[in-house]
Amino acid sequence: MKTEKIITPFNGYLAIVVSLVIGILILVGLSTRNFFLAIPLIPVFIILVKGLIIISPNSSKVLLLFGKYTGSVKQNGLFWINPLYNRISTSLRARNFESEKVKVNDKMGNPILISVILVWRVKDTFKSTFEVDNYENFIRIQTDSAVRKLAGSFPYDHFEDEKATITLSTNFDDVNKTLEHEITERLDIAGIEVIEARIGYLAYAPEIAHSMLRRQQASAVVAARHKIVEGAVGMVESALKLLSEKQIIEFDEDKKAAMVSNLMVVLCGDSETKPVINTGTLNQ
């Protein structure tokens, strides 16, 4: 048997009623010194009481009879089972697990720090009890292994691999789906259901974080400058065209070049511009 077997035990309330009746008969027999009535009923009373079990919501009992797996009870309530059964309690509640931050290499070989948040619960009580030694420790180890494999499958960002369609820092949905699929496959042997798996922490390792930050800042500055120059060129072109259409002033090539140069300096410069008022002619 490689999977769980769900069994339905006897009603525990009926067993309590029978136990009370037998208990009363035992007391009556002892009080009237009718030992032939009381003594045979004592073992029956003990068996009935010992077989009672209470199962809370989202809990289960794995039942063994002399080392042989008999079945699992997942119903909640009061029940009666064979008192010779060995009972192993297993929680079916959803639980969180946050892995430690581990240092791994991404696809491009850059050291990064990454951790994962996993939401899981026991689905198959037989596998979680008998297929692995300690399923909680098994979850920790296999999750760590899956995180390392995930990190090595994708680059951190597009700086190192511009052709990458999925990166760890941008495509969170795709990365989390891949992580969830990987962990689900690894934990199936332990009968664990993965409800959700997602990256909880992601950053460059400290030894390269400063260099990577400067690179990102430089890329942002270049992108911003490119946008500024694009806008400045459009504004200069519009200004020259408007002045020419309204015939406000006639420009030769030298004057156009000087005006374009001045406007580009004003529009693209970082510092605040200080205008110079020309009180003479344009030729001065």
Side-chain angles (χ1 to χ4, degrees):
M1 182 178 294
K2 293 297 182 180
T3 185
E4 70 177 0
K5 174 185 176 184
I6 305 298
I7 62 174
T8 302
F10 296 103
N11 191 311
Y13 296 100
L14 179 60
I16 287 181
V17 172
V18 175
S19 299
L20 290 175
V21 172
I22 293 177
I24 293 172
L25 291 176
I26 291 174
L27 292 176
V28 171
L30 292 176
S31 61
T32 60
R33 295 183 178 278
N34 187 353
F35 299 108
F36 292 102
L37 173 65
I39 293 177
L41 292 177
I42 292 176
V44 178
F45 179 80
I46 294 174
I47 290 173
L48 286 173
V49 173
K50 188 174 174 55
L52 291 173
I53 60 170
I54 298 176
I55 301 179
S56 304
N58 285 324
S59 298
S60 66
K61 296 285 186 181
V62 178
L63 306 179
L64 301 175
L65 183 60
F66 305 119
K68 181 181 179 181
Y69 174 71
T70 304
S72 301
V73 181
K74 289 187 173 181
Q75 294 175 294
N76 62 291
L78 178 65
F79 303 101
W80 185 88
I81 60 173
N82 187 335
L84 297 178
Y85 282 157
N86 183 25
R87 310 156 196 180
I88 302 174
S89 298
T90 303
S91 175
L92 303 179
R93 298 180 180 91
R95 283 177 267 186
N96 284 323
F97 166 67
E98 184 174 4
S99 67
E100 296 181 356
K101 297 174 185 177
V102 295
K103 183 187 292 187
V104 295
N105 293 330
D106 68 356
K107 185 179 180 181
M108 308 308 297
N110 297 316
I112 61 174
L113 294 176
I114 186 172
S115 70
V116 64
I117 297 175
L118 179 68
V119 183
W120 62 275
R121 64 185 171 194
V122 174
K123 182 179 180 181
D124 191 312
T125 56
F126 175 84
K127 290 183 178 181
S128 64
T129 306
F130 302 111
E131 290 294 334
V132 293
D133 185 36
N134 184 324
Y135 64 83
E136 292 186 354
N137 186 54
F138 183 82
I139 290 171
R140 286 193 293 269
I141 295 175
Q142 292 301 321
T143 301
D144 181 75
S145 176
V147 169
R148 292 178 183 276
K149 181 178 178 182
L150 175 79
S153 301
F154 303 106
Y156 182 90
D157 51 32
H158 289 98
F159 287 106
E160 295 288 344
D161 188 359
E162 296 181 355
K163 297 181 179 179
T165 57
I166 299 177
T167 66
L168 296 173
S169 60
T170 56
N171 304 88
F172 293 111
D173 291 338
D174 295 328
V175 171
N176 290 336
K177 286 180 181 179
T178 303
L179 176 64
E180 184 175 328
H181 178 72
E182 181 68 25
I183 296 178
T184 299
E185 286 188 345
R186 292 172 180 267
L187 299 185
D188 182 65
I189 187 177
I192 304 299
E193 178 187 3
V194 176
I195 301 175
E196 182 185 8
R198 64 183 184 276
I199 294 178
Y201 180 86
L202 180 66
Y204 281 114
E207 58 266 28
I208 67 167
H210 183 65
S211 299
M212 293 300 179
L213 178 60
R214 291 182 62 185
R215 186 183 67 174
Q216 291 175 353
Q217 289 174 339
S219 299
V221 169
V222 170
R225 287 291 183 187
H226 180 75
K227 206 70 179 176
I228 290 172
V229 170
E230 253 186 20
V233 170
M235 293 173 68
V236 170
E237 182 183 6
S238 176
L240 291 175
K241 183 179 179 181
L242 191 61
L243 288 171
S244 177
E245 288 178 351
K246 292 184 178 291
Q247 297 180 351
I248 296 175
I249 189 171
E250 292 292 334
F251 287 107
D252 57 21
E253 294 302 321
D254 291 338
K255 290 179 179 179
K256 281 186 179 180
M259 184 175 182
V260 169
S261 176
N262 292 335
L263 286 175
M264 292 297 291
V265 170
V266 170
L267 295 173
C268 299
D270 286 330
S271 60
E272 184 179 354
T273 58
K274 296 179 180 179
V276 177
I277 299 176
N278 188 354
T279 58
T281 65
L282 291 173
N283 295 324
Q284 291 180 342

